[in-house]
Amino acid sequence: MALQNVCDLHNPPLFPQWSAPLSRSFMPEDSTHLSGGGIHGEAFSTRLPGRGSLSPLEFYMPIAEYLTESPINFGQTSLSSAPTKLLEIDHLHPSLPSISLPPPTPFPVSPSVPLPFTLSHGTTTLGFAFQGGVIAAADTRSSCSGLVACPASPKVLPIHSHLVGTTSGTSADCALWKRILARELRLYQLRHRRRLSTGGAAKLLSHMLHPFKGTELCVAATLCGWDGDDEKHEQPITEKHANTPTNQMTASNSSGQSAASGASATCGPRVIYVCSDGLRLQGELFSVGSGSPYAYSILDSSVYWGMSVQEATEVAREAVYRATYRDAYSGNNVDLYHVTAKGWRRRERENLKEEYYREKERERRVIAY
Amino acid sequence: MEYLIGIQGPDFVLVAADNVAASSIIQMKHDYDKMFKLSEKILLLCVGEAGDTVQFAEYIQKNVQLYKMRNGYELSPAAAANFTRKNLADYLRSRTPYHVNLLLAGYDEADGPGLYYMDYLSALAKAPFAAHGYGAFLTLSILDRYYRPGDSALSLIRLNKRFILNLPSFTVRLIDKDGIHDMEKLPVAPGG
């Protein structure tokens, strides 16, 4: 009885044996299995399944059948036969509970499954390196053809303490592969007692994505990280806050040491672009997504190696703002991460709507003047 | 569009490749090196589909180096070219063919300089001069007209400068008996 309450099953028709008396489902030969005292024996006997019936502890888990349904039945406007199939099922199985079982549709096993909606790289992400580290910035709009699916999605994902990655392409693919990369990097760190460099991480990601070339997997990531010396952990923990309290970024005091190691071959800031069609490029400035041309024009004119952290933040923010202004698939907020030798720091998410109104106000004042 | 060119002289091979790495309309990198050093005297120049180039070229590069480690001596350019061709041909009729166009240039102690042209269908040809890309249409005719087998390095470099196309810069390298030498990176020369 206690088990029944815990499982919260109220005599579902699929479990007629649940309330059946013991004698009916209890086969004579099973008595040999019952050993021990009376209470234990009784406890066992209530749990022993009868021949050909489900174990009472087994829940009805609809998951298996749920997954055999092709996901293309959701929201696919061209397929008009989908709703009629569901009606047929209700008709055929009136005894079922209100859970509508999807039919075991034999969907065509074609090499490329048609997508439920058109994908687009609707985003603006950018990353560049300068003397003070690496800046990674992105908008936060997730679009799904003409619909804004999520206005506050994080597109810059931290992978480990000294590496962040911007994501572009399919959001789900990017999130998954970022997690896989984070796992592999952590394993590498545990095995080899050192962090894998950004170039190594990019190569690893590129090789992991290579088998999926030609499929609809779409990941275009910019890995922005700092390759450091081995194990020089001077308070990296305290700097690794999720949020800086104000919008003002204090000039990082790692700029001193970074100036010395800025352009060195083995350590320093790194920006590497990795794409699921196999492209892997190391450089100093990359922008990815539908808004990238607009961002490039701002960045190409303003980014130089010797800029300060304050300047770099402003340029990145401006580039994303201009891209969201012109590109329909980018918008809402801007996320900004700054990676230094001490790790990454995140600037508070800023709503670009405010900036837009501020600019309109400025223009209005200029015109009125 | 990407561009490769190679010219063989009496005791050297001169190769040049453009420096652009593009993704649809955006030039993502303008100092991208398309030459892969297979050994001290062999260079592989590789253009084609985005990920295939690097994957295939690095695969060949590592295998050539592995051969050297296993056997103690390096593959000759002819052997490396045939090895590359065999790999390209094996993948051609698989589910993942590599869409790459290659130039392999090397200097052999016994055979002298060699330039090998290979395309994505794994056709291999040893040629005195070769080019890939849209620029090939323009430059091959010039080479046909002006190439002489005994030309010195300088005259061929001048010839090279004459037909730099609308690509911003090139990496030029020369292979002779002393190994691989970097020539200066040529920016676009107005008026040739």
Side-chain angles (χ1 to χ4, degrees), chain A residues 3 5 104 136 150 220 261 269 282-283 321 361:
Chain A
L3 272 177
N5 290 337
C150 176
S261 59
Q282 186 187 332
Y321 169 64
E361 184 60 32

Side-chain angles (χ1 to χ4, degrees), chain A residues 136-159:
Chain A
D139 72 309
T140 59
R141 175 177 290 180
S142 275
S143 55
C144 182
S145 56
L147 166 74
V148 176
C150 176
S153 56
K155 295 191 192 177
V156 188
L157 304 174
I159 297 173

Side-chain angles (χ1 to χ4, degrees), chain A residues 203 206-207 210 213 273 277-283 285-287 293 296, chain B residues 21-23 25-29 32 49-52 54-55 58 62 98:
Chain A
K203 203 160 197 179
S206 176
H207 283 251
H210 182 67
K213 191 176 156 102
Y273 169 68
D277 57 359
L279 199 57
R280 177 171 39 94
L281 301 170
Q282 186 187 332
L285 168 68
F286 285 109
S287 177
Y296 265 125
Chain B
S23 170
I25 58 159
I26 300 278
Q27 199 188 93
M28 299 215 76
K29 225 169 122 69
Y32 183 61
E49 203 176 313
D52 288 350
V54 175
Q55 288 275 357
E58 282 190 352
K62 303 309 174 200
Y98 285 105

Side-chain angles (χ1 to χ4, degrees), chain A residues 10-281:
Chain A
H10 308 292
N11 273 343
L14 293 168
F15 291 90
Q17 302 86 355
W18 187 257
S19 52
L22 209 55
S23 56
R24 224 182 349 133
S25 55
F26 193 63
M27 306 296 282
E29 44 266 40
D30 288 342
S31 60
T32 56
H33 295 290
L34 278 181
S35 58
I39 294 178
H40 283 298
E42 303 231 325
F44 276 138
S45 62
T46 51
R47 282 191 207 155
L48 267 182
R51 290 292 158 95
S53 65
L54 290 170
S55 159
L57 276 183
E58 220 173 284
F59 304 104
Y60 173 67
M61 298 215 278
I63 291 181
E65 275 131 322
Y66 184 82
L67 281 179
T68 57
E69 180 196 36
S70 163
I72 65 173
N73 284 333
F74 294 134
Q76 196 175 29
T77 51
S78 57
L79 199 63
S80 54
S81 56
T84 59
K85 275 185 188 150
L86 286 172
L87 285 171
E88 283 171 16
I89 290 302
D90 286 342
H91 188 69
L92 286 168
H93 302 277
S95 60
L96 275 179
S98 54
I99 307 165
S100 57
L101 275 183
T105 326
F107 55 88
V109 180
S110 56
S112 67
V113 178
L115 298 167
F117 42 78
T118 51
L119 295 176
S120 53
H121 304 226
T123 187
T124 306
T125 68
L126 60 94
F128 62 89
F130 66 110
Q131 58 82 23
V134 188
I135 297 279
D139 72 309
T140 59
R141 175 177 290 180
S142 275
S143 55
C144 182
S145 56
L147 166 74
V148 176
C150 176
S153 56
K155 295 191 192 177
V156 188
L157 304 174
I159 297 173
H160 63 69
S161 62
H162 288 71
L163 182 64
V164 301
T166 70
T167 62
S168 168
T170 319
S171 311
D173 285 333
C174 289
L176 172 70
W177 283 102
K178 282 285 154 62
R179 289 189 62 168
I180 292 176
L181 183 66
R183 179 191 71 193
E184 293 301 323
L185 292 183
R186 180 69 181 141
L187 282 172
Y188 184 93
Q189 188 182 11
L190 290 169
R191 284 175 186 146
H192 298 93
R193 297 173 194 277
R194 67 178 186 91
R195 262 199 328 259
L196 188 56
S197 66
T198 314
K203 203 160 197 179
L204 187 61
L205 183 63
S206 176
H207 283 251
M208 286 198 292
L209 291 174
H210 182 67
F212 298 94
K213 191 176 156 102
T215 64
E216 269 107 10
L217 181 83
C218 186
V219 172
T222 311
L223 296 181
C224 309
W226 184 282
D227 294 344
D229 312 288
D230 317 352
E231 302 306 298
K232 261 214 200 134
H233 291 308
E234 332 105 86
Q235 326 118 16
I237 316 293
T238 55
E239 289 295 325
K240 237 184 358 156
H241 297 307
N243 278 315
T244 57
T246 61
N247 279 351
Q248 288 287 328
M249 294 276 276
T250 57
S252 167
N253 56 0
S254 66
S255 59
Q257 69 198 64
S258 63
S261 59
S264 75
T266 48
C267 62
R270 291 273 180 278
V271 182
I272 305 180
Y273 169 68
V274 181
C275 189
S276 55
D277 57 359
L279 199 57
R280 177 171 39 94
L281 301 170

